Amino acid sequence: MKKLINDPKDVVAESVAGFALAHSDIVRAEFDPTFVVRTDAPVSGKVGIVSGGGSGHEPLHAGFVGFGMLDAAVPGAVFTSPTPDPIVEATKAVDSGAGVLHIVKNYTGDVLNFETAADLAEAEGITVASVVTDDDVAVQDSLYTAGRRGVAGTVLVEKIAGAAAERGDSLDAVADVARRVNSNVRSMGVALTPCVVPHAGEPSFELAEDEIEIGIGIHGEPGREKIALESADAIVDRLLEPILADRPFESGDDVLLLVNGMGGTPLSELYIVYRHAVAVLEKRGVNVVRQLVGDYTTSLEMQGASISVLKLDPELTELWDAPVQTAALRWGR
Amino acid sequence: MKKLINDPKDVVAESVAGFALAHSDIVRAEFDPTFVVRTDAPVSGKVGIVSGGGSGHEPLHAGFVGFGMLDAAVPGAVFTSPTPDPIVEATKAVDSGAGVLHIVKNYTGDVLNFETAADLAEAEGITVASVVTDDDVAVQDSLYTAGRRGVAGTVLVEKIAGAAAERGDSLDAVADVARRVNSNVRSMGVALTPCVVPHAGEPSFELAEDEIEIGIGIHGEPGREKIALESADAIVDRLLEPILADRPFESGDDVLLLVNGMGGTPLSELYIVYRHAVAVLEKRGVNVVRQLVGDYTTSLEMQGASISVLKLDPELTELWDAPVQTAALRWGR
């Protein structure tokens, strides 16, 4: 295992500390228990938004804390859900009285711990709503999941819900728009290489020298099939086919296309993927009117990528375009 | 070799096409010959800035084309200088009559081809100034270099020179500020793994299972020494020691600290590096007042990082803070 780390047990704490130090204009970190929160939280009258989950997917979620997106992020150990305690503390830190939305990727541990935290926060008088993301079309159930997994589409849910909260929507309205994004986005990923969890020290799964895995999860959990390496264009076809079959994006639809790197993929390759994905969608008459290309929901140093397609409507487009000021997404302000 | 590519010979063309498609609000690509240029070039009355070099270092340089930074970028084949012809065409495309600055990383091929291009452009009546960057303290001469190599500090030169051009500085003044940044920045890198050039198909150098290379070049060319893997903090100490020895940053100095990922390094690890680098600098009384953490000057999928330290003064700080609107750097507008 080759990593730029100190003691594996300190990886999350040291990384969060460095993150908070680098972005002290936007966030501060708490360590007992650990969460990252906007410096101006709670924002008066605004619905608070908290997300979180296992570490190892950076910039998800701490990289999305800031104006127009999340109010707090709760990082667990690598690939391990945070416990309820820090989720409760983050929820309290961002509540201004307008209520708090939890955005939770659909993994059994995350769902359970966020539910417990929501109950505990409600017992302290905070109104909490929850939205579970499950955009991955690869598998119905999975190693850590009942139902579909929440993957890179979660970034789009967080951005758009964050914009709705920032413009002053109520908790119910913010939760509704988050659910609308989740129901309109579909994702599918591919791994070229496995990744190594620091405290495990060994690859989380095996791939032969010429083998890739289609439908990979963001923790390296099994996808649909292992196949021999193919051209980028052929892989893109394989990723888009189940996305388009699952939610029939139609001719004339406007979509946002997210090409997400898994952490170890050169940016140049993501643009090669993007180019062909646009060509496939446009051949069907689907218009790519918004886009995002880069590392947004990663799996440590895994090489690979995922494609997410979100059907837009005028309101979702306006919320996507709204100003955002976070470490990892920043425009319009 | 596992890459998300089609034919290795099409990597640059397809990647540039995808890049231009994704960022059509900022840039357009030309393909005969190949360069990337601001959609609004030439900007009336403004000094044009052109950079370029071998591909494989994305987002450098095309990711920095846009308002407040570069006017055009010229990508060569992977790790291979562009020929003079596209440099001349890019220079012509961005000249508004105020002259054009070439920012060139110090590699023999790049220096030669940019010199030839400058001569050809001058013959067509365009005034060209050139600044060569050589911020890497690792080695005096190298595989492709007489003198020091230009590495991630080049990003800082491009950002600050771009801001000077945007505020209306003359060609001489923009070139002067670019040289001032270069003379005040020092960098040093480490590789944990090698990278594979697509058309070569094999790693560009070898590292044993527990071995890293201190002082690595951005093309995998030799650094100072291969050593056994150490903790992140020990590696940071090794990278900062020659930086601080080479240009004695003093107590009370304000600096910009850039922790740059080589392409395959998880973002979380870069923040672990950042955290300790700040601690080392602050122990010397050096104040980290600006920072940048992420993949800015990469070596394909190489795992590793570099540290750059730039001594700031009020003018350089103001130019750093000025608005920028590119694919890879964006703030304040």
Side-chain angles (χ1 to χ4, degrees):
Chain A
M1 174 177 68
K2 278 183 176 174
K3 292 182 183 290
L4 283 169
I5 62 174
N6 297 300
D7 190 322
K9 77 172 165 29
D10 298 329
V11 160
V12 173
E14 291 183 354
S15 174
V16 168
F19 176 82
L21 206 56
H23 304 289
S24 61
D25 54 329
I26 300 175
V27 300
R28 69 167 203 277
E30 297 285 344
F31 288 98
D32 186 22
T34 300
F35 62 95
V36 171
V37 60
R38 272 172 73 160
T39 49
D40 58 351
V43 180
S44 177
K46 192 184 86 70
V47 169
I49 306 186
V50 176
S51 191
S55 291
H57 307 299
E58 291 71 23
L60 191 81
H61 297 271
F64 304 124
V65 174
F67 178 87
M69 212 161 164
L70 301 179
D71 293 86
V74 188
V78 174
F79 292 179
T80 304
S81 173
T83 56
D85 183 34
I87 304 171
V88 172
E89 293 308 314
T91 302
K92 288 158 71 174
V94 308
D95 181 49
S96 70
V100 176
L101 177 67
H102 287 175
I103 298 178
V104 187
K105 300 192 301 302
N106 188 34
Y107 298 97
T108 307
D110 290 306
V111 170
L112 203 67
N113 288 331
F114 270 90
E115 270 175 11
T116 304
D119 289 347
L120 292 168
E122 295 255 1
E124 298 199 39
I126 300 174
T127 308
V128 177
S130 294
V131 171
V132 175
T133 64
D134 59 354
D135 52 308
D136 188 349
V137 300
V139 291
Q140 184 47 42
D141 295 307
S142 180
L143 209 52
Y144 312 112
T145 321
R148 288 178 168 183
R149 302 175 296 217
V151 292
T154 307
V155 177
L156 311 182
V157 175
E158 294 180 356
K159 166 66 183 83
I160 290 173
E166 209 69 62
R167 76 175 173 189
D169 283 14
S170 70
L171 180 58
D172 282 350
V174 175
D176 280 349
V177 83
R179 285 188 196 103
R180 185 144 61 94
V181 176
N182 183 61
S183 71
N184 280 293
V185 62
R186 297 291 185 281
S187 302
M188 179 102 176
V190 60
L192 275 61
T193 64
C195 57
V196 177
V197 174
H199 58 258
E202 305 215 331
S204 47
F205 63 107
E206 298 285 333
L207 281 174
E209 199 51 46
D210 69 337
E211 202 178 37
I212 64 176
E213 181 147 354
I214 300 289
I216 194 77
I218 58 173
H219 311 90
E221 65 271 40
R224 289 195 172 184
E225 53 179 340
K226 294 183 179 182
I227 62 168
L229 179 64
E230 295 181 336
S231 72
D233 287 359
I235 293 170
V236 168
D237 290 341
R238 279 188 194 270
L239 298 183
L240 276 174
E241 188 273 325
I243 288 175
L244 294 170
D246 191 76
R247 189 201 176 290
F249 294 89
E250 285 166 14
S251 181
D253 280 356
D254 287 341
V255 301
L256 185 157
L257 173 59
L258 163 58
V259 173
N260 171 64
M262 293 293 195
T265 316
L267 189 54
S268 50
E269 297 180 21
L270 300 183
Y271 284 115
I272 291 173
V273 168
Y274 178 79
R275 172 181 171 276
H276 188 62
V278 169
V280 172
L281 289 167
E282 300 210 324
K283 202 170 168 189
R284 284 174 72 108
V286 174
N287 309 311
V288 179
V289 298
R290 295 293 184 276
Q291 59 286 116
L292 196 60
V293 182
D295 284 6
Y296 293 101
T297 302
T298 63
S299 302
L300 297 165
E301 73 283 0
M302 182 189 285
Q303 283 182 261
S306 64
I307 295 176
S308 301
V309 185
L310 167 65
K311 166 121 166 51
L312 291 168
D313 59 37
E315 189 193 19
L316 296 186
T317 306
E318 185 187 323
L319 291 167
W320 176 258
D321 289 344
V324 62
Q325 181 85 10
T326 68
L329 274 191
R330 183 182 297 232
W331 58 70
R333 191 177 185 235
Chain B
M1 174 179 68
K2 276 183 176 174
K3 291 181 183 289
L4 283 168
I5 63 173
N6 297 300
D7 190 322
K9 76 172 167 25
D10 298 328
V11 160
V12 173
E14 291 182 353
S15 173
V16 169
F19 176 81
L21 206 55
H23 304 289
S24 61
D25 53 328
I26 300 175
V27 301
R28 67 166 205 279
E30 297 284 343
F31 288 99
D32 186 23
T34 300
F35 62 94
V36 170
V37 60
R38 272 172 72 159
T39 50
D40 58 351
V43 180
S44 178
K46 191 184 87 69
V47 168
I49 306 185
V50 175
S51 191
S55 291
H57 307 299
E58 291 72 22
L60 190 82
H61 297 274
F64 303 125
V65 174
F67 179 87
M69 210 161 166
L70 301 179
D71 293 87
V74 188
V78 174
F79 291 0
T80 304
S81 172
T83 57
D85 182 34
I87 305 171
V88 172
E89 293 307 314
T91 303
K92 288 157 72 173
V94 308
D95 180 49
S96 70
V100 176
L101 177 67
H102 287 175
I103 299 178
V104 187
K105 300 193 300 301
N106 189 33
Y107 299 97
T108 307
D110 290 307
V111 170
L112 203 68
N113 288 331
F114 270 89
E115 270 176 12
T116 304
D119 289 346
L120 292 169
E122 296 255 359
E124 298 200 38
I126 299 173
T127 308
V128 178
S130 294
V131 171
V132 174
T133 64
D134 58 353
D135 52 308
D136 187 350
V137 300
V139 292
Q140 184 48 43
D141 295 306
S142 180
L143 209 51
Y144 312 111
T145 322
R148 288 178 169 182
R149 302 175 296 216
V151 293
T154 308
V155 177
L156 312 182
V157 175
E158 294 181 356
K159 166 65 183 84
I160 290 173
E166 209 70 62
R167 75 177 175 188
D169 282 15
S170 69
L171 180 58
D172 282 351
V174 175
D176 280 350
V177 84
R179 285 188 196 101
R180 185 145 61 93
V181 176
N182 183 61
S183 72
N184 281 293
V185 62
R186 297 292 184 280
S187 303
M188 179 101 174
V190 59
L192 276 61
T193 63
C195 56
V196 177
V197 174
H199 58 259
E202 305 213 332
S204 47
F205 62 106
E206 299 284 334
L207 280 175
E209 200 51 45
D210 69 336
E211 201 177 40
I212 64 175
E213 181 148 353
I214 301 288
I216 195 76
I218 57 173
H219 311 89
E221 64 271 39
R224 287 193 174 186
E225 52 179 341
K226 293 182 181 184
I227 62 169
L229 179 65
E230 295 181 336
S231 71
D233 287 0
I235 293 170
V236 169
D237 291 341
R238 279 188 193 270
L239 298 183
L240 277 174
E241 189 273 325
I243 288 174
L244 294 169
D246 192 76
R247 189 201 175 289
F249 294 88
E250 285 166 16
S251 182
D253 280 356
D254 288 340
V255 301
L256 185 157
L257 173 59
L258 163 58
V259 174
N260 172 62
M262 293 293 196
T265 316
L267 189 53
S268 50
E269 297 181 22
L270 300 183
Y271 284 114
I272 290 173
V273 167
Y274 178 80
R275 172 182 171 275
H276 188 63
V278 169
V280 172
L281 289 167
E282 300 209 325
K283 202 170 170 188
R284 284 175 73 108
V286 174
N287 308 311
V288 177
V289 297
R290 295 291 184 277
Q291 57 288 115
L292 196 61
V293 182
D295 285 5
Y296 293 102
T297 302
T298 62
S299 301
L300 298 165
E301 72 282 0
M302 182 189 285
Q303 282 182 262
S306 65
I307 294 177
S308 302
V309 185
L310 167 65
K311 166 123 165 50
L312 289 169
D313 59 37
E315 189 193 18
L316 296 186
T317 306
E318 185 187 324
L319 291 168
W320 176 258
D321 289 344
V324 62
Q325 180 85 12
T326 68
L329 274 190
R330 182 183 298 232
W331 59 70
R333 190 178 185 236

